[in-house]
Amino acid sequence: MNPDLIILFIVIPMATGLTTLALRGHVVLQRIVGTTSLVANLLLALACLVYSYKTDTILVTQMGDWPAPFGISIVFDALSGMVLVAGAMVSLACYIHSFSTLEPDVERGFFHPLWHLVMFGIQLSFITGDLFNLFVAFEIMLMASYALLTLGATRKQMTQSYKYVMLNLLASGIFVLCAGLIYGMTGTLNYADLARIVAQARLVDGSPLPVGFNAVAVLLLLVFGCKAAIFPLWFWLPDTYYTCSVSIAALFSGMLTKVGVYAIARLYPMIFAADLVTDPLGSGQSFVQASDGVLAGGVTQNLLLIAAAFTMFLGVLGAVSMHNIRRILAIHVISQVGYMIFGIALLTHGGVRGCMIYMVQHMVVKSSLFLCCGVVEKHRKTDDLDKLGGMVKKTPWLATLFFVAAMSLVGLPPLSGFFGKYVVIKEGFLTGYWWLAVFALMTGLLTLLSMLKIFCYCFWYPSAEAEPATVIATAPRPRVASAYVGIILLVASALFIGFGAEVVNGYADRAADIATNPRHYVTAVLGEEAWLHIENADTTEIAHSTEVTP
Amino acid sequence: MTLLLAICVAVIFGVSIYLMLSRELKAVAMGVFLFSHAAHMSILSMSRSPIIATGIKTPPILVGHGEQLANRPPVDPLPQALILTSIVISFAVMAFLLTLLVLTQRRAGTLEVDLLAKEQLP
């Protein structure tokens, strides 16, 4: 496979966005073009992922054929491949779902072009190998997402969306500042080159990293934390996801926060917290126990650990207290992000592996729950649990699909959520962060509670308002066929992740390999010599540096 | 010169944070714009050689065969390229944000954060 093909992940959504913009007013044509491009995108992502896994290669292409540290590298490996495939699946399903649940005037607006432009930004941020390019990708994604969120410009949207916009603008400002500072310190913005410099700084005779490097790492954490909605920065999320159309909320809940998590997973174990990674080779060597006190890592790691604990627990407490389907699901996103951050914060091979399994399944499952909520809203015109009930008789299939998705989210053993949680929590106990693992287990219990709350009030219990049976019988059934197609696509993928957990685990293992051991990434992007130079300089030093880690 | 730049950046950061703490969205928007300008100005000071010089000591400028750079190596142009890209983006975002504020004013009748916050969601 020609590695230059991966540029298509940027070209396809951008071209589709422009085409659908030209086709404005022709809704059917826009739908056909959009669906075709999303299917092509999904197939390409699958093909690239399987190819790069089977042949154990990282697909790299250099923009404009400039050699690596000078030009922009576009990199496709297992880490970005997994999120790309899951993201393409989510996007396709939500897009198909929108045909039957989206308000017609919203769709006749700029819905189609904006959808593909959001995907353009998201996919670029997944495959870029350059920090400043990541900033540009974020901006493209954010601009389109601001517009999608306020599409329709209702009073409700206008009074809530400014939080999201302002916070992200501030985060963008900080991101530019950080990119500049990192360039000033290291003279490069290429991930691989940064990873090489960090690895070199760990050598005895290598020039040490400047003092400010850790400060910038923490500042950048603020930026990615805003995107990922981790602990102190999550207040914008529940209100924002409540006001927009449901298929848009489904896409955002599946994708936007995960872009932040992906950026943390990509950059922190490899670059900004690389000196804290225990067992960097992932070869089953003994783990360094974090036994002295509850917090023994460096600043960055401790911040991530504390943020993970609060994010998990406060998110799920918020979900338990809410009484609207969409708000419960939205606040739940926060809690689940906590699990992923927990996995990354352990800074071990196993932690990142668990995070990847969990992230992929979360994208699929969370979006499918939002899509179910969309169908409920279509039937009953509300998502207030007090007014709902008795849906299990009216829409038995929807109830079944919702139940499977909800139990996957909770992590009932044969279903998908279990495996990610299992790996992360086991790794938590192994590395000595047992208190975090206990938090995670409690969160799991409360997740079950809040999901059962939705299932019981919405589907299982009889309707709260005693509607006359004749009214329900004569009311026209809403046309939701394409909505079901979307939900079934996602629930089927969730079942695949659950029952095919071994396959997913294999890919996640490779992804964690690449994330925690910079050798693969640096060799692929900069060439063999760049890394050999470090290894030959002092082979033993790298191996021993893990033991020095406090 | 760097000292002057640093003072300017500090003042602009201070003003922008003061504005962002305001309870009125127009002022917050101005604060956010000023923040990105301050960030741009601070990037300008990165045009010298990096703090840790690992291999790249001079700006990445290709010289023709047999030619040499002047005695003083030229200023690294890359930070300026970063700033240009970022300025263009912040222009676009600024236009969008101002439009958003106009629409918010029309729909909600106010830009006061306290009044907007009264619009409770369930």
Side-chain angles (χ1 to χ4, degrees):
Chain A
M1 182 182 270
N2 187 347
D4 291 341
L5 270 181
I6 58 176
I7 199 70
L8 283 176
F9 290 117
I10 311 169
V11 173
I12 290 178
M14 185 168 67
T16 320
L18 296 177
T19 317
T20 47
L21 187 65
L23 290 173
R24 189 157 176 262
H26 306 82
V27 173
V28 180
L29 271 179
Q30 282 180 322
R31 285 178 178 178
I32 294 171
V33 172
T35 314
T36 319
S37 108
L38 288 173
V39 170
N41 193 25
L42 175 64
L43 293 179
L44 183 69
L46 267 175
C48 285
L49 179 61
V50 171
Y51 173 81
S52 94
Y53 180 72
K54 293 271 187 245
T55 59
D56 197 7
T57 47
I58 296 177
L59 301 170
V60 183
T61 177
Q62 312 288 355
M63 290 297 90
D65 218 8
W66 288 93
F70 305 116
I72 292 170
S73 316
I74 301 285
V75 185
F76 183 102
D77 54 16
L79 188 68
S80 48
M82 282 179 78
V83 279
L84 263 178
V85 169
M89 192 71 202
V90 166
S91 175
L92 176 65
C94 297
Y95 193 68
I96 294 175
H97 182 276
S98 76
F99 299 161
S100 59
T101 52
L102 202 64
E103 299 83 355
D105 55 328
V106 172
E107 186 169 8
R108 272 195 300 275
F110 289 97
F111 169 76
H112 292 280
L114 286 171
W115 186 281
H116 297 289
L117 290 179
V118 166
M119 286 309 292
F120 169 38
I122 291 173
Q123 298 205 355
L124 178 58
S125 55
F126 284 156
I127 60 172
T128 184
D130 183 277
L131 199 62
F132 196 77
N133 203 235
L134 182 71
F135 163 73
V136 175
F138 273 6
E139 287 306 308
I140 295 168
M141 172 186 89
L142 289 173
M143 264 309 249
S145 73
Y146 301 150
L148 265 186
L149 280 177
T150 51
L151 211 58
T154 61
R155 185 188 165 100
K156 204 170 64 171
Q157 284 173 321
M158 282 302 144
T159 52
Q160 300 303 329
S161 55
Y162 71 89
K163 297 171 201 163
Y164 175 72
V165 179
M166 295 285 187
L167 185 77
N168 277 304
L169 283 184
L170 182 61
S172 303
I174 301 176
F175 198 169
V176 177
L177 183 65
C178 291
L181 288 174
I182 287 177
Y183 184 76
M185 284 180 205
T186 62
T188 184
L189 287 167
N190 190 295
Y191 294 169
D193 211 21
L194 281 171
R196 182 183 66 83
I197 287 171
V198 169
Q200 205 159 43
R202 282 161 61 186
L203 300 177
V204 168
D205 57 341
S207 45
L209 287 170
V211 186
F213 198 72
N214 261 337
V216 177
V218 172
L219 260 183
L220 264 183
L221 197 58
L222 197 69
V223 177
F224 299 137
C226 285
K227 305 279 181 296
I230 63 177
F231 159 57
L233 308 160
W234 54 266
F235 53 87
W236 55 270
L237 192 141
D239 294 342
T240 316
Y241 287 2
Y242 189 72
T243 51
C244 58
S245 299
V246 72
S247 44
I248 298 174
L251 177 78
F252 286 4
S253 69
M255 304 286 291
L256 284 195
T257 49
K258 261 39 99 211
V259 174
V261 178
Y262 167 80
I264 296 177
R266 167 110 275 166
L267 294 175
Y268 282 80
M270 190 168 82
I271 299 168
F272 294 117
D275 48 336
L276 303 171
V277 172
T278 46
D279 181 27
L281 299 173
S283 52
Q285 299 162 3
S286 66
F287 292 104
V288 177
Q289 295 287 322
S291 49
D292 344 331
V294 277
L295 289 174
V299 185
T300 325
Q301 189 178 15
N302 288 348
L303 271 177
L304 277 170
L305 288 168
I306 296 170
F310 276 105
T311 314
M312 271 191 292
F313 202 62
L314 292 183
V316 84
L317 282 186
V320 170
S321 73
M322 290 290 167
H323 219 66
N324 277 69
I325 301 181
R326 242 211 256 188
R327 282 180 85 77
I328 294 178
L329 293 178
I331 296 194
H332 243 293
V333 174
I334 300 166
S335 154
Q336 316 279 306
V337 164
Y339 275 106
M340 299 169 211
I341 302 294
F342 175 19
I344 302 168
L346 295 174
L347 292 175
T348 58
H349 181 270
V352 178
R353 179 162 59 96
C355 163
M356 288 312 293
I357 303 174
Y358 199 75
M359 176 143 72
V360 168
Q361 79 91 18
H362 169 87
M363 289 164 92
V364 170
V365 167
K366 180 54 82 178
S367 299
S368 71
L369 289 173
F370 263 97
L371 297 186
C372 290
C373 171
V375 179
V376 171
E377 278 179 23
K378 192 85 181 163
H379 274 281
R380 305 293 287 268
K381 307 277 180 284
T382 179
D383 69 335
D384 190 343
L385 286 177
D386 287 332
K387 293 178 187 153
L388 289 168
M391 293 286 286
V392 73
K393 270 187 193 157
K394 211 165 139 190
T395 54
W397 283 108
L398 182 67
T400 315
L401 289 169
F402 182 87
F403 191 73
V404 173
M407 289 306 114
S408 304
L409 191 76
V410 174
L412 226 57
L415 296 169
S416 57
F418 170 73
F419 300 99
K421 279 189 187 178
Y422 171 72
V423 175
V424 169
I425 291 173
K426 184 181 141 204
E427 197 67 19
F429 279 117
L430 274 180
T431 44
Y433 292 105
W434 56 269
W435 54 278
L436 249 173
V438 170
F439 263 112
L441 288 171
M442 282 196 296
T443 306
L445 200 65
L446 290 173
T447 308
L448 178 65
L449 178 66
S450 55
M451 283 299 128
L452 280 183
K453 192 162 102 178
I454 300 182
F455 185 73
C456 289
Y457 279 101
C458 176
F459 294 101
W460 198 251
Y461 292 166
S463 184
E465 291 172 342
E467 288 179 69
T470 49
V471 175
I472 295 175
T474 53
R477 286 185 74 81
R479 305 173 69 169
V480 286
S482 73
Y484 275 102
V485 175
I487 298 174
I488 289 169
L489 269 177
L490 287 183
V491 172
S493 333
L495 285 177
F496 170 75
I497 296 173
F499 289 98
E502 200 178 337
V503 182
V504 180
N505 186 40
Y507 284 90
D509 196 51
R510 178 70 52 78
D513 246 3
I514 294 167
T516 52
N517 186 356
R519 184 172 61 87
H520 304 292
Y521 198 88
V522 173
T523 313
V525 178
L526 295 178
E528 200 84 47
E529 307 83 43
W531 190 259
L532 282 181
H533 177 63
I534 295 175
E535 284 204 333
N536 292 344
D538 200 341
T539 325
T540 47
E541 206 46 49
I542 290 237
H544 281 262
S545 61
T546 56
E547 287 161 24
V548 189
T549 315
Chain B
M1 190 61 204
T2 312
L3 184 68
L4 193 65
L5 200 64
I7 294 170
C8 283
V9 168
V11 169
I12 299 178
F13 268 131
V15 172
S16 84
I17 285 166
Y18 175 78
L19 282 172
M20 272 190 263
L21 295 176
S22 150
R23 309 294 293 165
E24 221 270 330
L25 284 185
K26 266 178 290 183
V28 179
M30 291 306 149
V32 171
F33 299 145
L34 272 183
F35 191 92
S36 67
H37 293 327
H40 297 159
M41 282 183 75
S42 73
I43 297 178
L44 200 59
S45 64
M46 303 296 159
S47 295
R48 305 201 302 180
S49 60
I51 294 178
I52 49 164
T54 45
I56 311 165
K57 284 193 177 121
T58 46
I61 297 171
L62 291 179
V63 197
H65 187 67
E67 294 173 30
Q68 280 194 333
L69 286 173
N71 283 347
R72 279 181 62 203
V75 169
D76 185 357
L78 200 125
Q80 295 171 24
L82 299 188
I83 295 171
L84 266 181
T85 316
S86 177
I87 284 178
V88 174
I89 291 172
S90 65
F91 268 147
V93 174
M94 192 174 186
F96 178 84
L97 184 57
L98 292 179
T99 319
L100 189 77
L101 291 188
V102 169
L103 272 174
T104 309
Q105 171 77 44
R106 282 199 193 144
R107 294 285 186 278
T110 180
L111 286 178
E112 292 285 331
V113 177
D114 298 321
L115 293 176
L116 287 174
K118 281 189 188 142
E119 301 252 333
Q120 280 299 324
L121 293 170

